[in-house]
Amino acid sequence: MHIDCTINGNERTFEVSKTDLLLDVLRRDGYTGAKRGCDTGACGMCAVQIDGEPAMSCVTPVVKVDGATIETIEGLGTQDDLHPVQQAFVDNSALQCGFCIPGMIMRSKALLEENPSPSEAEVREALSDNLCRCTGYKKIVEAVLDASERMADRGVAADGGRSSDRGDDCRCAGATGKTGPDSRGETRR
Amino acid sequence: MTDPDDPKPDGGTASRSERESPEFEDHPLEWDEPENNDLEPDERASVSRPAQKDDDPKLVTGQAKYTADYEQRFPDLAHAAVVRSEIPHGYVTDVDASAAEGMDAVHAVLTPWSEETPDAKYTSAGQSYPEPSPWDMNVLNDHVRYVGDPIAAVAADDAETARTAADSIEVEYEEDDYVLDPEEAYSEDAPRLFDDDEVENEIVGHDYSRNRMSRIDGEIGDVDDALERDDVHVHETEWETIRQSHAQIEPHTSLAYTDEDDRHVLVTSTQVPNHTRRQLAHLFDIPIRDIRVSKPRVGGGFGGKQAMVVEPIPLALSLAADRPVIYEATREEEFHAMRSRHPMNVRARTAVTEDGSIEAIDLYALSNTGAYGSHGMTVAGNVGSKPMPLYSKVPNARFEADIVHTNTPQTGAMRGYGAPQGTLALEGHLDEVARDLDLDPVEFRQRHYMEVGDLDEIAGMMGGEGAERRIRSCGLDECIERGKEAIGWDALEQPDEEHRHRGIGMALSAQGTGVAGDELGAAQLMMNEDGSFHLHVGGVDIGTGADTAFIQIAAEVLGCEETDIVIKSSDTDVTPFDYGAYASSTTYISGMAVKKAAEDAKGRILYWGSKLLEEPESNLDTGDGTVYSEETGASVSLEEIGYEAAYGHDEREHILGKGTHCTEESPPPFAAQFADVTVDEETGEFDVNKLVVAVDCGVAINPGMAEGQVEGANHMSYEMAVCEGITFDDEGRAEVTSFDEYDWPTAAETPTIESILVETHEPTGPFGAKSVAEVPTNTVPPALSNAIREAVGVRITDMPITAAKIKSALEADD
Ligand code: FES
Ligand code: FES
């Protein structure tokens, strides 16, 4: 059967079987950023965003994403121009083997879109579906908190006239407890 | 140069009598340190600076390639699935694979009797040659010894078809009695796992009539004599550790194909490419030169990949199917058929005088090596030889271990490598002794622990003659001092509720850095005409950041930017030989090889600099991408040198450097762990408020990475203290088959971990470095047990520490 979806801004059509899982379809198509750590939805290595929500692609039947908008790690920054969440992971030494990182970053990005200035406990809670065996989580949590500040700063700049070309950034931008009136994150703009 | 009469900055002096003793001549404190190794912090341009990890941009954008990501490059790739034993012990009498063989998309089916299945015995342990592990297994086994033993393998178009085909294979068994408990296994009437003729390369102390694959022991002084003295108390405690899973996030994955030159290529997630190549050559009877093992990014190893666990299967299948084959272990297989930490019972005994002087330490370990013996003897050896040297001032010491087989999955190397088991026993025991004697547990330890200048004879006790080591760097005092301060040792406030009590426990640890006398790392450096470099290293980065550390070491010597160095590591066709990433050796051994290669290249660079600047080489040094003269201030860029060397008129040279490093040294890093806990005496529930671990790793080549290693290791150590590990039902079936069942602490369940790096200078290491990543794996179980003892007075000796155990201990106390 056919499914149509948007992946990282590109409209795509796939020929799939009913039982195919999203992770397999993505990886077959060269989106190998999402990793396979368990195949049972228990580790978060395969996390992507579907219509803005974090989802484990290894347990998502591909038929479910017909018509959906999917974002994978490949759709964030490039190596020369990292997304603030990616940059925060690098700057905080928050990754070692890196196998969990695409999932962590997609999950963190989803968290920050929903809650632009989370507390440490909220970050830890949100990341509890994403396992990491290398870091002990400390630096990852620090990176997410740092990313929250960076995205807020970037939002202020955008408010000040430098426009960001990424819609997803704008959603978080300017919406932290520090810069916005509402810590739940309705944008100030 | 070090003057042994001078007090060391990090404590301790060598006494005159020591220096005159023969041991001191064999193991002098003075160390002929290579040039420029001892840089002050403000002289370091790359080392000790927070350089960005070389592969980070690739990793955070999902562009880094792990083994499974190579699938795309092989259109005719087949996927493997393995048929594993359903019974804990017995013989395979028949395998009916006809259904699988008849399936369209199936390309090969192998059984223990197939022509393409290697029939040589081997060990999966990825160790140096000859392996100190018995050759006791086959790639596919007809004598099966645990639920999960591989019997048959299939290659098919995709993973799902391969699984379906594997499931269609019918196996008939003749079942045998089995034994799961190590103590039962170690009796003469237990079911036997091995006949003598089923094992090659047997290990010292083996006695297969009692399922013992090895027995080891060592002693200094006379322990029995000390235990029997009138003026001592003998204290005895027993400890039990879990079967911990490596749970590295990337499963064991390996892809095999034969290239256009008829050479067999393995792209594989391994810590030991060179050992794997040698082992495959042995199994398949292929010359080493015709096998290429290449390691892409690796998603964690922690010792689980210091083993050739899966590689032979895709190679055999690819030969049989005549196409590339990938084998990716499932998460379920990770838990029941890959490797785990050896669970152990460890007994600690000490003889202590009334005034608190330890006269003897006696440790005994019973180690459960599971169905096969990989790493069994060497891991058990480290139960004694890593923690006991901490107390090298104790005059009498003994360590003994029996390593026995049970019908449970295979154990193997795991971060800490025996030290966690020994550290729990020794540090829990000493804490208990201090309490018995009403002594301060820290002061009690300080009276006995090692200092700079000490000769560690206990390392020699287990390692054989000549394995003693001189302690040239030791930051234990500072680790304790800073750890105490960070945990709030002197200002502990009790909770308001009367039934809740707070306590702090502490534990010390020592490890090694590499295996003394059994290591080799090598590196090559070549200069491009634009002044950039290619660094080829056999050393293996399994996610620790080793590649970045190598680059920093080379950049420090060459005086260039880190970004001017392109690294290629761990491809046996391209990179020089290396023993692999284990035993905390990477930065120390392979890093020193890199330093030597860089010094070698630097020599040629200075030669060309001297030609161009017309000044003697002795005036010149490298820095900021140039060769400059300390006399005149004149300089020439590395780029100019690169072009001149490549295209010069009168003389030309490709500037190359090489370095090889082997050593008899294995300096210990040290750690002091603190755990702050609040326990509810009504329910036994406890909150770990904070973990602090201070580590003396010598000079941290990259402090951010080193802290990450410490925090990750401490988390793994915490897991060992509170998680049940892999458990089995009565038939030896692993009860843990998924991450949900393997209940290790998530981000929300992990206490705050504070890591403190205590800088010392280890003269035998590159720029003063020793190891960092293992020592903090050892310390949380004893520190937590000690903290709970401090808080509510009960002692938990068998891991994991649970509320139920605390509650029942409290009830038993009443
Ligand atoms: S691979 Fe999808 S959650 Fe583990
Ligand atoms: S960095 Fe290795 S699993 Fe997270």
Side-chain angles (χ1 to χ4, degrees), chain A residues 23 34-47 55-59 99 129 131, chain B residues 249 331 739:
Chain A
L23 178 63
K35 302 297 176 200
R36 188 188 310 280
C38 70
D39 257 347
T40 56
C43 73
M45 300 303 127
C46 63
M56 307 300 192
S57 62
C58 71
V59 288
F99 203 76
D129 290 338
L131 303 178
Chain B
I249 297 289
R331 187 52 58 183
F739 276 132

Side-chain angles (χ1 to χ4, degrees), chain A residues 27-28 32 35 37 45 73 77 79 86 90 95-99 124 128 131-134 136-139, chain B residues 53 56 60-61 66 69 72 245-246 249 298 302 331 543 707-709 711-712 719 744 746-748 753:
Chain A
R27 291 186 59 88
R28 271 208 301 268
T32 55
K35 302 297 176 200
M45 300 303 127
I73 189 80
Q79 290 189 45
Q86 292 169 318
V90 172
L95 62 162
Q96 290 178 28
C97 79
F99 203 76
R124 286 186 177 266
S128 280
L131 303 178
C132 172
R133 190 53 161 165
C134 300
Y137 300 109
K138 185 179 176 203
K139 290 189 188 296
Chain B
K53 203 144 84 55
D56 273 1
V60 295
T61 49
Y66 301 79
D69 302 331
Q72 312 303 322
S245 172
H246 301 86
I249 297 289
V298 167
F302 314 116
R331 187 52 58 183
E707 278 170 17
Q709 290 291 308
E711 288 153 14
E719 179 222 319
W744 47 294
T746 64
I753 297 172

Side-chain angles (χ1 to χ4, degrees), chain B residues 540-609:
Chain B
V540 186
D541 188 337
I542 54 169
T544 57
D547 283 356
T548 309
F550 297 150
I551 289 173
Q552 285 180 269
I553 289 169
E556 183 72 53
V557 174
L558 297 165
C560 66
E561 294 290 326
E562 284 111 25
T563 45
D564 289 335
I565 300 174
V566 178
I567 189 163
K568 172 78 190 166
S569 67
S570 320
D571 175 339
T572 58
D573 262 19
V574 179
T575 58
F577 198 88
D578 195 283
Y579 275 23
Y582 60 89
S584 283
S585 69
T586 308
T587 301
Y588 183 73
I589 301 289
S590 313
M592 193 58 114
V594 169
K595 183 163 185 280
K596 288 179 175 176
E599 300 280 6
D600 195 27
K602 180 177 170 179
R604 296 313 301 162
I605 291 169
L606 294 183
Y607 166 82
W608 283 91

Side-chain angles (χ1 to χ4, degrees), chain A residues 13-86:
Chain A
T13 302
F14 292 101
E15 191 57 40
V16 298
S17 89
K18 262 204 195 112
T19 53
D20 275 349
L21 295 162
L22 176 58
L23 178 63
D24 297 316
V25 175
L26 287 173
R27 291 186 59 88
R28 271 208 301 268
D29 202 49
Y31 295 98
T32 55
K35 302 297 176 200
R36 188 188 310 280
C38 70
D39 257 347
T40 56
C43 73
M45 300 303 127
C46 63
V48 297
Q49 278 181 281
I50 302 175
D51 292 332
E53 293 295 318
M56 307 300 192
S57 62
C58 71
V59 288
T60 304
V62 74
V63 291
K64 278 223 174 137
V65 302
D66 199 9
T69 298
I70 298 164
E71 284 177 77
T72 74
I73 189 80
E74 286 92 348
L76 293 188
T78 61
Q79 290 189 45
D80 298 336
D81 180 22
L82 297 176
H83 181 275
V85 180
Q86 292 169 318

Side-chain angles (χ1 to χ4, degrees), chain B residues 136 554 693:
Chain B
D136 55 6
V693 60

